[in-house]
């Protein structure tokens, strides 16, 4: 028997556990009892995180499409072909004809290396990852207002706060060990406001549950801020000493009386007033948000309003306060930190800055690096549709299931001249690829993940990968070598982290040895630095916090006679994203074995629908069959679907409209029709 | 009664590995204490009950049922060395007694007894609890027992196998050590046990309203940790993994806190809410098992209370229930 301490591969909470192995096979999981976040507990995905690893569907050999079929190939042939094709397409169409999609499931070291591969070896800034689909609005919005697009506080702050506002986060299902802290805090007297029209578990414990209409967050937050200012509840001292542009905020919310906000949000004005008074009266208040805020065509505006509310009430820079975007994936924070973004190197250093370009070029042994920011992932898909992009190298992502408007996503991928997918299973996306590279999963490699509270923690190899599968970092290095680049030779992942630390000020003091046993929180600028649990304590990262007023905009697609329901999408507790791991985990898939749609009992009665009836759901983009779940979880007129399921895929219906600044798709609002199948 | 001095502990267990698959309390890299193999961490006999359930030695989270290749069931490979497992507190031994009886009842569980039959189980007791607190000696329901008297381990063999294992150790326990063991063996009053019995009586008298279970259920995040950490939980799920030539059937710990655990083929679920499932979990341990087996099947090991992220382990619920309805 062997026990290996590692980090959970699912959400961004950053729980650690021991993988239990026997003769090279995983046989279970044991929680860490000393970890400051998980404290001896885990959620059901964590308890079952060993169970997909040895699944017979794992990819064990490279595959090359020959005669229309994916056929087993040698690593030599597969990697030579990858390099030859990518270089060939770049020669014919320019260096920016290729796109690299990195992965929030992969380690920091691997994200850094794919970023380096794109920029140093293939001379393009076309590198991005799935943060584009989840928290790109946060990165943009908080960078502008605070100077840093990350969770300002730590998870331990939930034990030290007087009030928690949860807006657009189903925390007990999506970050269960954070959600459970909120439940415990409420039992200890912390007040809770839930702003979310789904009746999520936290809502059952809330002092105030605001069921505002989808897409009306700006109106709600404007209404709340209006009341706080009008009733003289703002924290004037904080505003005058720590922030700028306050006058513009007061002007922009002046007309947002609670009555006006009520007409947009569908709430009573009294509810908005009550929320404002409750929030402003708390000595220490935390704001928690997630995809319900970010995944809108005005996601960045939503984030700006949240930042304003926190500054307006002085809730930044102290324990038990802060703006706390909960990052979805295990390493989506790290993916961003490592510069798997089209405009930033690791540590949020801009590619447009000549000095920074020179720094990276010099370290990587190059004369120059490309200066123009690359394409965000979502815009790259559109560019491929239009024929400007010819190739995609996708590591550990499954856009066929995760991207908006599935028909568009599939057509786009099929339109490419080259699609390379590096993954652990033959996902729906890998099945379309020209070349498939088999990767090791989290249990089969070393490296680091960075959790939502900026905690960098070590992932440690417990078992060998199956067949010829290799760790992503090893594959990337072999591609670089074959492309003639000698600057990516590492014998261990700790060597890669050493390089990251030299180039990335916020990771300057990080090395693998220092991370035992429970990691360090960035910024950690030097080897003696203890890490930073709280951001913006004495001043904001950008100096003064900036109030950024916004205008209210409606969601891109409104309901009408043909499509009378608002569809909002998300995840369930038991599955992870496109289900490639959890749908191969017996207990998890047993809990949620198929696609479903939540429908309010009033709507069900009108449609003559009963629980578990088969329904046809259609939007302007497509249609699907799914099963009815009649529940008061949703409000009348709104339906909810999880996007995990390839059969009954919610993203068949969603709208590929993007926030103009963050390029995040509007997953949370589109118009659909629901019909009962005979 | 045998003696094992602290400086001989490592070599004693090292020697045992020649004949036994030795499992014992160790401390892992981040300070978590579990029962595992020598070499997986430093031996850590002090510190009280380990966080993981010791019964997992015989009923692991995941185990193979059979493998079929080209339609033929393969013989299970012979197990390696028999298991020696140290680290059962007196409460853990009660749990083991309970599941031994459960797995032997009716259709005897071959997979469990493949590991259990030839195993040697060692209890641990004495002043080796958290911060030197006393762990009560067992009632002798193990092969041998390690009792820490404050200076050395006194080892009391109860079975032939236990005797064989400690045969080479000196047996010159001083009188004061024997006296310490006898004194420690006197049952201590346990307030928690009283609460559990009161809770059991309230449940059996049907004095707990549904609204209580709704409140508790609202705090359940379905992590299943209460079941997975519990040494007397015996439920498992079964899965088949199929590839072109093989079928691998295995089983894994399951949880009555899950919706799918009781879901009917139609999709209907007689235990379709967290409230009903939580009620069932507690009711099963405190009301149904006493009727079926004569025992409350919670022996207050405390693991579910530690594993539950929202504070609804069995003792926490029992306390709340007694405070409100007794």
């Amino acid at each position: 028997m062997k026990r290996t301490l590692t980090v959970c591969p699912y959400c961004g909470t950053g729980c650690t556990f021991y993988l239990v192995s026997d003769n090279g096979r995983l046989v279970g999981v044991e929680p860490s009892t000393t970890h400051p976040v998980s404290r001896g507990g885990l959620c059901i995905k964590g308890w079952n995180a060993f169970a997909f690893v040895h699944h017979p569907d794992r990819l064990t050999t490279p595959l090359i499409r020959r005669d229309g079929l994916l056929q087993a190939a040698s690593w030599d042939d597969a990697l030579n072909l990858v390099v030859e094709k990518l270089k060939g397409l770049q020669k014919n169409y320019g260096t920016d004809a290729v796109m690299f999609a990195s992965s929030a499931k992969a380690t920091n070291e691997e994200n850094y290396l794919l970023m380096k591969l794109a920029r140093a070896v293939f001379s393009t800034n076309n590198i991005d990852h799935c943060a584009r689909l989840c928290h790109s609005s946060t990165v943009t919005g908080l960078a502008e207002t605070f100077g840093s697009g990350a969770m300002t506080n730590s998870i331990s702050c939930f034990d030290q706060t007087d009030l928690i506002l949860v807006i657009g986060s189903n925390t007990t299902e999506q970050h269960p060990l954070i959600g459970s802290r909120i439940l415990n805090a409420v039992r200890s007297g912390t007040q809770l406001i839930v702003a979310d029209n789904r009746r999520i578990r936290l809502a059952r414990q809330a002092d105030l549950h605001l069921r505002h209409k989808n897409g009306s967050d700006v109106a709600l937050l404007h209404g709340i801020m209006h009341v706080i200012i009008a009733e003289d509840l703002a924290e004037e001292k904080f505003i005058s000493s720590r922030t700028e542009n306050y006058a513009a905020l007061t002007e922009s919310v002046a007309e947002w009386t609670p009555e006006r906000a009520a007409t947009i949000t569908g709430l009573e004005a009294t509810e908005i007033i009550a929320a404002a008074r409750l929030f402003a009266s708390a000595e220490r208040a935390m704001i928690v948000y997630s995809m319900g805020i970010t995944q809108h065509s005005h996601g960045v505006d939503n984030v700006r309003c949240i930042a304003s509310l926190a500054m307006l009430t002085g809730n930044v820079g102290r324990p038990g306060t802060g703006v706390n975007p909960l990052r979805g994936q295990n390493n989506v924070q790290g993916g961003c930190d490592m510069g798997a973004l089209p405009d930033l190197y690791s540590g949020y250093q801009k590619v447009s800055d000549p000095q920074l370009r020179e720094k990276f070029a010099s370290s990587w042994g190059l004369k120059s690096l490309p200066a123009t920011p690359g394409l965000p992932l979502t815009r790259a898909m559109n560019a491929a549709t239009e024929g400007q992009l010819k190739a995609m190298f996708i590591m550990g992502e499954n856009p066929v299931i995760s991207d908006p408007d599935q028909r568009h996503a599939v057509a786009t991928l099929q339109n490419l001249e080259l699609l390379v997918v590096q993954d652990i299973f033959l996902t729906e996306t890998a099945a379309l690829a020209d070349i498939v590279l088999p990767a090791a999963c989290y249990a089969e490699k070393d490296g680091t993940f960075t959790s939502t509270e900026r905690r960098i923690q070590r992932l440690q190899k417990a078992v060998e990968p199956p067949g010829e599968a290799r760790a992503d970092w090893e594959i990337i290095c072999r591609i670089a070598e074959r492309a003639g680049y000698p600057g990516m030779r590492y014998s261990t992942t700790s060597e890669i982290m050493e390089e990251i630390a030299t180039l990335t000020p916020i990771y300057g003091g990080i090395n693998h040895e220092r991370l035992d046993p429970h990691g360090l929180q960035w910024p950690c600028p030097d080897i003696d630095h203890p890490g930073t649990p709280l951001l913006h304590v004495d001043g904001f990262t950008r100096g003064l916090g900036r109030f950024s007023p916004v205008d209210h905009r409606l969601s891109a697609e409104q309901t009408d006679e043909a499509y009378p329901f608002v569809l909002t999408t998300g995840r369930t507790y038991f599955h992870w994203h496109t289900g490639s791991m959890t749908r191969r985990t017996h207990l998890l898939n047993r809990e949620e074995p198929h696609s479903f749609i939540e429908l309010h009992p009033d709507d069900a009665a009108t449609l003559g629908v009963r629980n578990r009836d088969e329904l046809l759901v259609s939007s302007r983009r497509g249609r699907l069959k799914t099963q009815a779940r009649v529940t008061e979880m949703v409000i009348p007129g709104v339906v909810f679907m999880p996007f995990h399921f390839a059969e009954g895929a919610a993203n068949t219906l969603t709208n590929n409209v993007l926030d103009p600044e963050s390029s995040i798709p509007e997953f949370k609002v589109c118009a659909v029709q629901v019909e009962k199948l005979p | 009664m045998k003696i094992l001095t602290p400086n001989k502990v490592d070599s004693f267990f090292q020697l045992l590995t020649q004949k036994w698959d030795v499992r014992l309390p160790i401390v892992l890299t981040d300070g978590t204490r579990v029962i595992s193999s020598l070499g997986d961490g430093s031996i850590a006999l002090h510190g009280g009950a380990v966080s993981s359930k010791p019964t997992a030695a015989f009923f692991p989270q995941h185990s193979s049922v059979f493998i079929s290749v080209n339609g033929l069931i393969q013989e299970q490979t012979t197990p390696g060395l028999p298991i020696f497992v140290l680290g059962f507190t007196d409460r853990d031994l009660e749990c083991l007694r309970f599941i031994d009886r459960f797995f032997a009842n009716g259709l005897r569980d071959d997979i469990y007894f493949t590991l259990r039959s030839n195993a040697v189980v060692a209890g641990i007791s004495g002043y080796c609890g958290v911060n030197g607190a006393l762990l009560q000696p067992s009632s002798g329901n193990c092969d041998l027992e390690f009792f820490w008297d404050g200076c050395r381990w006194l080892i009391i063999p109860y079975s032939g196998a236990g005797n064989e294992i400690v045969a080479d150790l000196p047996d010159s326990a001083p009188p004061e050590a024997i006296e310490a063991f006898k004194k420690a063996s006197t049952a201590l009053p346990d307030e928690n046990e009283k609460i559990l019995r009161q809770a059991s009586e309230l449940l059996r008298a049907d004095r707990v309203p549904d609204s209580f279970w709704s409140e508790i259920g609202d705090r359940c995040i379905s992590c299943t940790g209460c079941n997975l950490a519990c040494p007397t939980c015996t439920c498992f799920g079964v899965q088949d993994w199929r590839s072109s030539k093989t079928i691998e059937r295995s089983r894994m710990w399951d949880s009555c806190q899950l919706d799918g655990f009781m879901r009917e083929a139609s999709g209907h679920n007689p235990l379709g809410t967290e409230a009903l499932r939580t009620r069932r979990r507690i009711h099963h341990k405190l009301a149904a098992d006493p009727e079926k087996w004569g025992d409350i099947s919670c022996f207050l090991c405390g693991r579910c209370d530690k594993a539950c992220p929202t504070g609804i382990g069995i003792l926490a619920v029992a306390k709340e229930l007694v405070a409100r309805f007794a």
Side-chain angles (χ1 to χ4, degrees), chain A residues 63-81:
Chain A
L63 305 171
I64 295 176
R65 189 172 296 280
R66 294 189 179 108
D67 303 325
L69 295 174
L70 284 170
Q71 298 183 23
S74 70
W75 271 111
D76 273 345
D77 287 352
L79 294 179
N80 285 339
L81 196 59

Side-chain angles (χ1 to χ4, degrees), chain B residues 176-193:
Chain B
E176 70 270 19
I178 295 169
E179 196 51 40
F181 177 71
K182 281 184 182 163
K183 189 179 163 199
S185 301
T186 313
L188 298 169
D190 188 329
E191 191 59 28
N192 290 340
E193 209 165 298

Side-chain angles (χ1 to χ4, degrees), chain A residues 3 18 25 27-30 32-34 42 47 51 54-55 184 187 201 204 573 586-587 590-591 612, chain B residues 28 30 32 34-36 40 61 217-223 238-239 241 248 254 259-260 263 274 309:
Chain A
R3 281 157 175 80
Y18 286 88
R25 298 273 291 189
V27 293
V29 155
E30 279 175 12
S32 156
T33 58
T34 61
L42 289 172
W47 275 109
H54 305 300
H55 196 283
N184 292 340
R187 280 186 56 75
R201 178 176 302 279
R204 301 180 207 168
Y573 174 50
H586 172 75
L587 287 182
R590 183 191 72 186
E591 289 307 299
R612 297 190 293 279
Chain B
L28 297 167
D30 74 340
T32 300
V34 296
I35 289 180
S36 191
D40 209 9
Q61 186 172 2
D218 277 350
R219 288 154 59 193
C220 174
I221 62 162
S222 303
C223 76
V238 175
Q239 73 173 8
W241 274 354
E248 186 179 349
D254 204 341
D259 184 80
R263 193 189 295 139
E274 292 94 353

Side-chain angles (χ1 to χ4, degrees), chain A residues 207-334:
Chain A
D207 295 277
L208 200 53
H209 181 199
L210 306 172
R211 305 187 82 173
H212 60 304
K213 287 181 183 170
N214 302 66
S216 68
D217 304 281
V218 166
L220 171 64
L221 293 163
H222 274 177
I224 288 173
M225 288 192 282
H226 175 98
V227 174
I228 289 172
I229 293 168
E231 298 192 1
D232 205 16
L233 301 173
E235 193 64 38
E236 299 291 348
K237 193 175 163 196
F238 184 91
I239 294 165
S240 59
S241 62
R242 297 281 309 268
T243 68
E244 63 184 11
N245 210 31
Y246 179 53
L249 179 84
T250 55
E251 195 181 323
S252 80
V253 302
E255 290 179 6
W256 282 93
T257 61
E259 290 72 24
R260 183 181 170 202
T263 61
I264 306 284
T265 58
L267 298 169
E268 299 292 331
T270 50
E271 292 179 282
I272 296 168
I273 295 167
R277 290 175 181 167
L278 195 56
F279 188 85
S281 67
E283 171 63 24
R284 295 165 299 181
M286 296 178 81
I287 306 175
V288 173
Y289 73 87
S290 207
M291 309 293 95
I293 282 294
T294 58
Q295 289 178 333
H296 292 275
S297 58
H298 46 85
V300 179
D301 286 348
N302 286 351
V303 173
R304 288 183 176 115
C305 288
I306 281 175
S308 291
L309 177 61
M311 291 190 288
L312 182 66
T313 50
N315 279 305
V316 185
R318 292 179 291 134
T321 68
V323 172
N324 299 283
L326 301 182
R327 305 304 299 260
Q329 295 267 19
N330 54 324
N331 197 37
V332 69
Q333 184 64 56

Side-chain angles (χ1 to χ4, degrees), chain A residues 1-5 16 18 22 25-35 39-45 47-48 50-57 172 176-177 179-181 183-184 187 201 204-205 460 517-518 573-574 584-587 589-593 612, chain B residues 21 23 26 28-37 40 51-52 56 60-63 215 217-226 228-229 237-243 248 252-255 258-261 263 266-269 274 306-311 320:
Chain A
M1 304 290 277
K2 190 179 90 171
R3 281 157 175 80
T4 309
L5 182 62
T16 65
Y18 286 88
D22 191 13
R25 298 273 291 189
L26 296 179
V27 293
V29 155
E30 279 175 12
S32 156
T33 58
T34 61
H35 192 264
R39 302 189 291 192
L42 289 172
C43 76
I44 191 170
K45 290 190 286 293
W47 275 109
N48 287 278
F50 71 99
F52 72 86
V53 172
H54 305 300
H55 196 283
D57 289 352
T172 58
L177 270 284
S180 61
R181 290 227 186 194
L183 287 174
N184 292 340
R187 280 186 56 75
R201 178 176 302 279
R204 301 180 207 168
Q205 311 290 332
Q460 302 194 78
H518 297 316
Y573 174 50
F574 297 99
R584 291 180 173 91
T585 299
H586 172 75
L587 287 182
N589 199 46
R590 183 191 72 186
E591 289 307 299
E592 294 290 9
R612 297 190 293 279
Chain B
D21 175 357
R23 321 265 181 93
I26 58 156
L28 297 167
T29 51
D30 74 340
T32 300
R33 277 177 76 244
V34 296
I35 289 180
S36 191
S37 304
D40 209 9
S51 64
S52 55
Q61 186 172 2
H62 182 271
S63 51
E215 281 178 45
D218 277 350
R219 288 154 59 193
C220 174
I221 62 162
S222 303
C223 76
T224 72
C226 52
L228 306 196
V238 175
Q239 73 173 8
D240 286 344
W241 274 354
R242 291 159 188 270
S243 57
E248 186 179 349
M252 76 295 295
W253 293 342
D254 204 341
S255 166
L258 292 175
D259 184 80
F261 185 80
R263 193 189 295 139
S266 67
H268 172 69
N269 192 341
E274 292 94 353
K306 286 180 182 154
C308 176
T310 60
E320 212 163 319

Side-chain angles (χ1 to χ4, degrees), chain A residues 353-374:
Chain A
D353 182 325
Q355 284 187 326
L356 292 170
R357 276 205 309 280
E358 168 57 28
K359 177 175 94 166
F360 278 86
S362 162
S363 169
W364 292 346
L366 300 166
K367 286 184 184 154
S368 65
L369 283 165
T372 313

Side-chain angles (χ1 to χ4, degrees), chain A residues 8 95 102 121 132 171 173 176 196 230 255 266 315 350 407 421 469 574 588 621 638:
Chain A
C8 183
T95 52
S102 196
V121 183
R132 186 63 50 199
T171 324
E173 294 202 10
D196 188 327
E255 290 179 6
N315 279 305
K350 290 182 177 171
R407 194 158 53 184
V421 175
F574 297 99
L588 301 179
R621 273 79 48 196
V638 175

Side-chain angles (χ1 to χ4, degrees), chain B residues 208-219:
Chain B
V208 183
D210 289 348
S211 57
F212 175 78
W213 297 112
S214 293
E215 281 178 45
I216 300 292
D218 277 350
R219 288 154 59 193

